[in-house]
Amino acid sequence: MNLASPFSLSVVAITALALLGLPIGHSMIAGSILYLWLAGLDMGTSAEQLLNGLYTSYILLAVPMFILAAELMNAGTMTDRLLQFCNAVVGRFRGGLAQVNVLQSIIFAGMSGSAIADAAGTGKMMQQLMTKDGKYPASYAAALTAVTSVIGPIIPPSIPLVIYALISDASIGYLFIAGIVPGLLLALTQMIIVAIDARRKNFPVEKPVPLRELPGITLRAFPALMLPVVLLVGIRGGVMTPTEAAAVAAGYALLISVAIYRSVTPGQLYHALLNSARTTASIGMLIAGALVFNYVVTVENIPQSLSVILQSWDLSPMGFLILVNILLLILGCVLEGTTILLVIVPVLIPTAQALGVDMVHFGVMVVVNIMLGLVTPPYGLLLFIMTRIAEVPLRDLVHDVMPFLYAMIAALMLITFFPSLVLWLPRLLGYQG
């Protein structure tokens, strides 16, 4: 590639602006405009691509709705009730509080759609609970919080899967259903590692919740526990589209918090709406920048060129998937997941389709990959976030993360080599891919 070509200079500009602190979405827009100018194309095309992409994609409406649902759940007592339920179920075992950390990630999965937000939200709460009175080493609690946070964007409802559906035209409903088993598989590997560590390191046993109290605790948490069930049944039953399901999720969270739990004040509702708007604007700018830059990538014919190169290597479908695994694990260390989904994955999709890779299987594998990259040393973003939250040395955190990471990579390999693990549930419900 000519280093002085418009595309090369555009990439350099995007990288330089991002390193200088400009948000990546703004950097991609600026770099794309530079490309259009250097290539002698109409710079107004950038605005056209941005507006067309944002205002003609009905699916994107799901993003702010899921974010609002998460904010409403956090604003009230839904979070506390769900944590009480988790503690009642697994808190009685040795290392029970650590198991609660895993279970709460399953139940809270998809509330924010962001592993980073989960780590900073309920994850931070679990970090404080685990280190209170020196029950668990701070580095171990931080490591567990980091790895459990990756479950959220895999089990539905999932914003990364919504974005993948946008760029691949795969069915959101089937992607949601396909994410259930891989998400539970990752959680199972984490719980096994915790159980081993609990006996090896003699972790404390929490005071058990009497079994007679379990029905009451479950009943209080039941409305919140039913949210993912309502969404999946509604989508699968054809009652609502995934985008409509996102609006139902927000409305359901508001109804439960205000009418049943009566735990959200007008002030909390205002802050939930404000935080949702801020987060949505941040993600929206990232998507806008990616839409404009993807136009540049298309003009340069890069997806097709890469597809030709990869096909010339005579890769088998499995060889291609292994190559994608390695690439995304590395990129996940240094880039936010949404950026990878919007910029890198669209370049890989034509090759995957040419090799006959199922788009639902590919999407789930990609999202799992990106999430694991967030806890992969030395530059996993969640590692840096947890060192700040927990105030522990990165070296100690990485040491405690590694057993979990090895186990989760093993689960990723199972997902890669055995597509039926991902597709059996969608096929049971009528998927024909």
Side-chain angles (χ1 to χ4, degrees):
M1 181 182 291
N2 183 0
L3 295 179
S5 68
F7 183 75
S8 298
L9 293 174
S10 171
V11 172
V12 170
I14 292 171
T15 305
L17 290 171
L19 291 175
L20 289 172
L22 191 68
I24 186 65
H26 295 75
S27 300
M28 285 191 288
I29 292 174
S32 301
I33 292 174
L34 175 64
Y35 169 86
L36 294 172
W37 178 62
L38 293 174
L41 300 174
D42 182 8
M43 288 189 288
T45 305
S46 59
E48 178 186 353
Q49 292 297 316
L50 188 155
L51 294 175
N52 285 341
L54 289 178
Y55 289 104
T56 61
S57 182
Y58 180 63
I59 190 177
L60 283 180
L61 286 174
V63 175
M65 290 294 100
F66 280 135
I67 292 171
L68 178 59
E71 290 290 341
L72 290 170
M73 290 185 77
N74 285 325
T77 60
M78 294 179 77
T79 300
D80 295 335
R81 292 169 190 263
L82 289 172
L83 283 176
Q84 290 172 8
F85 172 77
C86 294
N87 185 58
V89 174
V90 297
R92 66 186 66 246
F93 305 111
R94 181 166 297 281
L97 196 55
Q99 299 287 15
V100 169
N101 199 336
V102 181
L103 186 59
Q104 65 87 21
S105 289
I106 299 173
I107 293 177
F108 284 98
M111 278 180 51
S112 70
S114 165
I116 292 172
D118 287 346
T122 56
K124 183 177 181 180
M125 186 187 309
M126 287 306 307
Q127 171 76 23
Q128 294 169 344
L129 289 173
M130 289 181 67
T131 55
K132 186 178 180 180
D133 299 327
K135 293 180 179 178
Y136 294 82
S139 62
Y140 186 87
L144 182 59
T145 298
V147 298
T148 59
S149 296
V150 308
I151 298 174
I154 299 170
I155 297 178
S158 164
I159 289 176
L161 288 177
V162 170
I163 295 173
Y164 173 80
L166 168 70
I167 62 177
S168 68
D169 290 328
S171 164
I172 310 178
Y174 286 124
L175 281 167
F176 277 6
I177 295 167
I180 295 174
V181 172
L184 294 177
L185 182 60
L186 288 182
L188 177 62
T189 63
Q190 294 170 2
M191 296 183 98
I192 291 172
I193 298 298
V194 167
I196 295 171
D197 287 342
R199 294 196 174 279
R200 188 164 59 88
K201 300 179 180 180
N202 197 31
F203 286 156
V205 178
E206 301 299 312
K207 182 180 179 182
V209 176
L211 291 178
R212 65 178 181 275
E213 296 182 11
L214 186 58
I217 293 173
T218 304
L219 183 62
R220 287 192 291 273
F222 184 76
L225 291 170
M226 285 300 294
L227 175 57
V229 177
V230 169
L231 298 185
L232 288 176
V233 170
I235 293 171
R236 180 66 192 95
V239 178
M240 61 187 85
T241 67
T243 301
E244 291 165 347
V248 169
Y252 184 90
L254 180 61
L255 177 66
I256 297 301
S257 297
V258 174
I260 297 181
Y261 292 156
R262 298 181 182 180
S263 57
V264 175
T265 65
Q268 289 174 321
L269 179 59
Y270 169 77
H271 284 295
L273 291 170
L274 187 62
N275 290 338
S276 299
R278 286 172 175 166
T279 305
T280 299
S282 175
I283 294 177
M285 284 306 302
L286 183 58
I287 293 174
L291 288 169
V292 178
F293 185 67
N294 284 344
Y295 172 77
V296 172
V297 170
T298 303
V299 170
E300 287 286 310
N301 209 30
I302 289 175
Q304 289 73 20
S305 300
L306 179 62
S307 180
V308 169
I309 292 172
L310 291 175
Q311 289 181 45
S312 70
W313 292 354
D314 198 25
L315 288 171
S316 66
M318 192 54 62
F320 170 73
L321 292 180
I322 292 173
L323 181 64
V324 170
N325 278 336
I326 296 171
L327 173 65
L328 295 184
L329 279 173
I330 294 171
L331 290 175
C333 295
V334 293
L335 293 175
E336 207 275 328
T338 306
T339 305
I340 298 174
L341 278 170
L342 289 168
V343 178
I344 307 299
V345 175
V347 179
L348 301 172
I349 286 176
T351 304
Q353 291 173 327
L355 291 172
V357 176
D358 184 274
M359 283 294 97
V360 170
H361 173 234
F362 186 67
V364 173
M365 189 201 77
V366 161
V367 170
V368 172
N369 244 297
I370 293 170
M371 293 305 106
L372 294 191
L374 294 175
V375 291
T376 302
Y379 300 115
L381 296 180
L382 275 175
L383 300 180
F384 291 110
I385 289 172
M386 289 313 302
T387 56
R388 291 199 296 268
I389 290 177
E391 297 181 351
V392 295
L394 180 61
R395 179 184 64 258
D396 295 343
L397 179 59
V398 169
H399 176 269
D400 288 325
V401 158
M402 293 313 294
F404 293 101
L405 184 59
Y406 293 144
M408 291 191 296
I409 290 177
L412 172 61
M413 292 300 100
L414 286 175
I415 293 167
T416 301
F417 293 139
F418 300 101
S420 57
L421 280 174
V422 177
L423 298 176
W424 77 268
L425 189 54
R427 284 172 178 165
L428 184 66
L429 297 174
Y431 179 60
Q432 301 297 320

